[in-house]
Amino acid sequence: MKFLTFVEIDLRKIFPFLLGMYAIAIAGFQGFFVKLASNLNGQIVQGAAESGTTLEEYLKTIDKISLASIIDSNILPLVVQIFVGLGLILLGFYLWYKEWFGASKRIYTLLSIKGSRFRIFTSKLVVFLLIFVTYYGIVLLNLFISSFLVKFILPEQIIASDLVQNYILHSQFLPFVIPVSGGSLLFNLAFLIMMFSILSVFVLWDRSKRIWGMIGGFIYMGSTVVVFFYLNTLDLYTSEISIVNWAFTLCVLTISTAFSYYLLKKKVSI
C-alpha cells in the first residue's frame, strides 16, 4: 500500500468530524465578535447622544478602532479557538489509540502489509500536521471574515486600516492560539511533532505491553510534561528560554521517535 493511501484513508475517516470542529471554530468566533462589535457600536451611539453633538462630529473625536481593540477587550472569541485546538489534539490521540486498541480488523490489516511499519507512524504524523495547519488557516480565515464584518457594524471613518495585519502584529493573545512569525511557526510544528511522538510511545507501548505498557506510557508522558514546565520556570533570558525549549523539543522528539520505531518493529503484534 502506498504511503499517500494511508494518509488518504485517515483523512477520509476524520473529515466529517473536522468539518464540524472547524464550523464550531468559525461560528463561535464570529458569534462573539459580532456581539462585541455591536456592543461597541451601541456605546458609540450612546456617547454621541450624551455629548450633545451629531454622530459625525462625535466620530471625529474617537481613535481609530482595530481588531485588537475589539477582540483583545474580551478574549472569548479566541477561547473558542483554543478549545477547538485542544479538541483536535484529543481527537488525534483518540484516533491513534482507538486504532491500536484490541484485535480489530483495521490493526490486523496494517500489521499484515508488506514494507516498513514505520510508514504507519509517519502517515499518522502527516495527517496530524495537516489537521493543525488547516486549523491555523481557520483562525486566520476568522480574522479576514471579521475584518469584513466590522465594516458593516461600525462607521467606516473610525475603522483602522490593515486590520488583519495589525492584529497579527499587535494582539496580546493571538500568539497563544497560532504562531505569528516564521520562527514561532517552525517551533510550533516541531512541538506538535514532538507531542505526536510522545503520544505514539504511549499508544504503542500500551499495545505491546498492555497494563504495564499503559503505566509506562503515562510515566513517560508525565515526566516529559514535568521537565518541560520545570525548564520554563527557570530564570533565563528570552533567548536562553528559546534555546532550552528547542533543545528539549528536539531531544524528546528524537527519543520518542526512536522508541516508537523500536516498538513498531520489534514489540507490537496482534
Side-chain angles (χ1 to χ4, degrees):
M1 186 180 293
K2 295 181 179 180
F3 174 78
L4 291 179
T5 303
F6 282 108
V7 175
E8 179 187 351
I9 291 173
D10 286 327
L11 285 176
R12 194 186 312 140
K13 182 170 55 178
I14 65 175
F15 186 70
F17 187 84
L18 287 181
L19 282 182
M21 293 292 285
Y22 294 151
I24 291 173
I26 294 174
F29 186 96
Q30 298 306 326
F32 282 118
F33 177 80
V34 169
K35 183 175 178 58
L36 292 174
S38 299
N39 289 343
L40 180 58
N41 186 61
Q43 294 171 11
I44 292 173
V45 173
Q46 182 180 357
E50 293 174 351
S51 69
T53 63
T54 64
L55 179 60
E56 185 176 349
E57 290 296 324
Y58 181 74
L59 292 177
K60 295 178 181 178
T61 66
I62 299 178
D63 293 331
K64 294 290 185 179
I65 295 175
S66 64
L67 289 183
S69 62
I70 300 175
I71 299 174
D72 284 9
S73 65
N74 189 321
I75 63 171
L76 284 178
L78 292 179
V79 168
V80 175
Q81 313 303 291
I82 292 173
F83 275 107
V84 170
L86 292 175
L88 292 174
I89 292 175
L90 292 177
L91 167 68
F93 171 72
Y94 170 73
L95 292 176
W96 202 189
Y97 183 77
K98 179 184 177 183
E99 191 164 82
W100 291 84
F101 184 74
S104 65
K105 179 180 178 181
R106 167 73 171 164
I107 189 60
Y108 178 80
T109 303
L110 285 174
L111 295 179
S112 302
I113 295 173
K114 294 182 179 180
S116 173
R117 287 181 173 181
F118 198 64
R119 289 182 302 169
I120 302 171
F121 173 91
T122 51
S123 66
K124 300 292 184 187
L125 172 58
V126 168
V127 172
F128 196 69
L129 289 177
L130 285 175
I131 289 173
F132 278 92
V133 169
T134 308
Y135 165 72
Y136 293 156
I138 293 295
V139 176
L140 292 176
L141 176 62
N142 269 324
L143 297 181
F144 280 104
I145 294 174
S146 298
S147 70
F148 285 106
L149 288 178
V150 75
K151 297 175 183 178
F152 291 99
I153 300 173
L154 298 177
E156 185 176 354
Q157 55 266 47
I158 63 171
I159 299 175
S161 60
D162 301 322
L163 290 172
V164 175
Q165 180 180 353
N166 285 333
Y167 184 72
I168 293 174
L169 292 176
H170 300 115
S171 173
Q172 300 178 25
F173 302 111
L174 187 63
F176 293 100
V177 182
I178 64 170
V180 295
S181 67
S184 59
L185 174 62
L186 187 62
F187 178 76
N188 271 33
L189 292 178
F191 197 82
L192 284 170
I193 296 172
M194 180 202 71
M195 289 177 57
F196 177 83
S197 67
I198 293 173
L199 293 175
S200 295
V201 170
F202 171 80
V203 171
L204 297 175
W205 206 348
D206 177 38
R207 176 70 196 187
S208 59
K209 294 296 183 180
R210 298 298 187 263
I211 185 65
W212 290 112
M214 179 178 289
I215 294 173
F218 273 124
I219 293 174
Y220 182 75
M221 287 196 301
S223 62
T224 56
V225 171
V226 169
V227 171
F228 176 75
F229 280 108
Y230 169 74
L231 292 176
N232 281 271
T233 60
L234 299 177
D235 187 16
L236 302 173
Y237 292 108
T238 303
S239 58
E240 293 174 331
I241 293 176
S242 178
I243 293 173
V244 168
N245 283 336
W246 266 109
F248 169 82
T249 300
L250 294 177
C251 286
V252 174
L253 172 59
T254 301
I255 294 171
S256 300
T257 303
F259 205 172
S260 296
Y261 178 83
Y262 169 76
L263 290 171
L264 269 172
K265 187 175 181 179
K266 299 293 185 180
K267 297 296 182 180
V268 173
S269 58
I270 296 297

